Amino acid sequence: MSESGRRAFITGISGQDGSYLAELLLARGYEVHGLIRRASTFNTRRLDSIYRDPHENAPLILHYGDLSDGVSLTNLIRDLQPHEIYHLGAQSHVRVSFDIPDYTAQTTGLGTLRILEAIRASGVQTRFYQASSSEMFGAAPPPQNERTPFHPRSPYGAAKVFAYWITVNFREAYGVFAVNGLLFNHESPRRGETFVTRKISRAVARIQAGLQDKLYLGNLDALRDWGYAPDFVLAMWMMLQQPKADDFVIATGESHTIREFLDLAFGRVGLDWHDYVEVDPRYYRPSEVDHLRGDASKAQRVLGWQPSVRFPELVALMVDADIQLLEDELAGRLVGVDRES
Ligand code: NAP
Ligand code: GDD
């Protein structure tokens, strides 16, 4: 049994949020179990710093599974009897969801139902967190809060709306302690490389190092409310510690365009992005979400949550991290060359 006597199960543990959440829970003495997909190459890079050999009685244990496989999810949840389930696994890329809408609905939408059914069928007493998204608000004008009607603009957004309502339904129908965190965009040095912030911060590092000449992007005018991922996973944990299950918007309350992100990111290394960025319409979406800006006053009032990192600091820390990463990679390559010669 863990130090705290508590056991958590995280789907999507190999993703940006899953890795930060696993660190947070381990630091609080939880035994942490995570769902990973079998892949032909390692997909647990973000967990490297916390993973230990299972033979060492480690508090982090990974299990193979997939959100499309309801039977194995039910077996796993029944065997683990977790006190808390954080359901973060999803096909999470909005642009890609237009290319693979059926798969996105299967994993991002029905994946949530499969976990909830696993809880119900196994009779496990657990608290459940659903990774809902500001993308569900879509075309609804800002500021968006818990009472704003949804108007999704992508297969991903529509799948998340289903997942949101099925979570509410299991709370109302079966009394499951099930909560929705409606999280606005949150970023970090661990952000996937094809999301716009990380695409930019990586490009700045590579352009500065002379390894890349151009950065091709899509719509530069969209506005997003960008926060810092470690702040946001803390809010997930806080939601599951409440006496009553409820839904919360988590956001910084500020929105900025992609252009503003570019200004700060290229400005960090003394470059002007206009010299490097070109618009490629293939990154446009068939329908876009123009403006997301969240009102997280309920989370502040009830959970006592507020963001610790603001936009300029976020951009700076992402660019600095990618510059450092590139320097380490280049040094590693040089060390490798030295060893061979
Ligand atoms: P992410 O980095 O893309 O991670 C997604 C995770 O889901 C990965 O661990 C991935 O595994 C896993 N996954 C994907 N398909 C799966 C499947 N079929 N079966 C099992 N696991 C699967 O996403 P994130 O940024 O950490 O976001 C976490 C959650 O919050 C997602 O549900 C996302 O939609 C939602 N969300 C994110 C944001 C944001 O701004 N980051 C905002 C609102 C909501 P692999 O590593 O094997 O690909
Ligand atoms: N990815 C990407 N790539 N986006 C671009 C690009 C580009 O080359 N150029 C412009 N953009 C614009 C997109 O059109 C969008 O308006 C904005 O940048 C942000 O795109 P993403 O970083 O891909 O994030 P997202 O807002 O679509 O989705 C993220 O946030 C959601 C919460 O609102 C994802 O993390 C979702 O999983 C999450 O739910």
Side-chain angles (χ1 to χ4, degrees):
M1 187 52 78
S2 71
E3 213 178 290
S4 70
R6 298 196 71 72
R7 197 163 38 250
F9 175 51
I10 306 175
T11 71
I13 194 168
S14 57
Q16 171 189 255
D17 291 6
S19 64
Y20 284 119
L21 180 65
E23 284 171 19
L24 180 150
L25 295 175
L26 288 171
R28 283 174 157 72
Y30 281 69
E31 179 180 298
V32 177
H33 294 258
L35 188 79
I36 54 163
R37 299 195 279 185
R38 196 271 155 182
S40 65
T41 52
F42 287 123
N43 59 356
T44 50
R45 164 179 57 89
R46 294 183 177 104
L47 302 171
D48 281 352
S49 64
I50 50 173
Y51 188 73
R52 302 277 170 278
D53 189 312
H55 302 96
E56 294 172 15
N57 207 12
L60 171 64
I61 300 121
L62 302 178
H63 306 266
Y64 283 115
D66 197 288
L67 293 172
S68 59
D69 183 348
V71 173
S72 67
L73 291 171
T74 304
N75 290 339
L76 191 56
I77 287 171
R78 193 190 48 234
D79 291 350
L80 293 177
Q81 302 266 328
H83 301 95
E84 295 170 15
I85 297 178
Y86 296 87
H87 175 42
L88 313 183
Q91 191 303 91
S92 70
H93 203 284
V94 173
R95 172 69 192 83
V96 173
S97 78
F98 288 96
D99 300 331
I100 48 171
D102 186 322
Y103 177 77
T104 302
Q106 283 292 335
T107 52
T108 305
L110 288 176
T112 301
L113 175 63
R114 293 191 183 102
I115 305 262
L116 286 165
E117 271 291 276
I119 293 170
R120 192 183 67 80
S122 62
V124 170
Q125 292 302 308
T126 189
R127 295 184 167 209
F128 173 81
Y129 173 86
Q130 164 60 20
S132 283
S133 166
S134 51
E135 184 70 17
M136 303 187 309
F137 295 122
Q144 295 98 357
N145 66 20
E146 293 81 0
R147 293 177 306 282
T148 304
F150 299 138
H151 183 153
R153 298 269 287 167
S154 61
Y156 167 83
K160 284 284 184 188
V161 170
F162 170 79
Y164 170 94
W165 281 116
I166 204 68
T167 299
V168 172
N169 181 244
F170 270 62
R171 184 164 76 212
E172 293 174 355
Y174 305 116
V176 177
F177 190 108
V179 312
N180 282 290
L182 296 102
L183 272 50
F184 282 61
N185 297 50
H186 45 281
E187 319 292 315
S188 75
R190 294 187 200 168
R191 185 58 143 152
E193 288 87 348
T194 60
F195 295 96
V196 75
T197 55
R198 186 77 199 287
K199 192 170 163 182
I200 295 170
S201 62
R202 278 188 88 224
V204 168
R206 291 176 58 80
I207 288 170
Q208 192 208 25
L211 298 173
Q212 186 174 328
D213 300 326
K214 289 283 171 208
L215 169 61
Y216 295 96
L217 294 174
N219 175 16
L220 305 183
D221 296 315
L223 286 138
R224 287 292 181 275
D225 180 332
W226 279 300
Y228 183 46
D231 284 346
F232 282 48
V233 302
L234 174 62
M236 296 176 188
W237 177 78
M238 287 172 147
M239 285 179 221
L240 287 200
Q241 312 314 309
Q242 296 306 301
K244 181 173 155 286
D246 202 353
D247 306 321
F248 294 92
V249 159
I250 301 295
T252 71
E254 278 178 42
S255 54
H256 299 274
T257 59
I258 319 298
R259 286 174 202 281
E260 289 175 81
F261 197 102
L262 287 165
D263 281 338
L264 292 185
F266 279 79
R268 181 87 182 154
V269 295
L271 297 176
D272 181 345
W273 63 268
H274 298 90
D275 297 333
Y276 303 96
V277 172
E278 286 189 16
V279 169
D280 181 344
R282 84 191 179 100
Y283 296 113
Y284 289 161
R285 286 133 196 228
S287 46
E288 176 64 287
V289 170
D290 293 325
H291 193 172
L292 294 175
R293 178 164 49 86
D295 164 13
S297 48
K298 178 177 168 186
Q300 184 162 9
R301 196 177 64 251
V302 179
L303 306 177
W305 179 87
Q306 54 184 10
S308 74
V309 173
R310 293 285 171 184
F311 182 65
E313 198 186 335
L314 175 68
V315 181
L317 74 82
M318 288 184 72
V319 170
D320 292 355
D322 269 319
I323 290 172
Q324 186 62 55
L325 183 66
L326 188 62
E327 281 174 10
D328 292 347
E329 279 170 10
L330 293 173
R333 221 171 283 148
L334 289 177
V335 170
V337 170
D338 284 343
R339 281 212 192 103
E340 276 169 24
S341 60

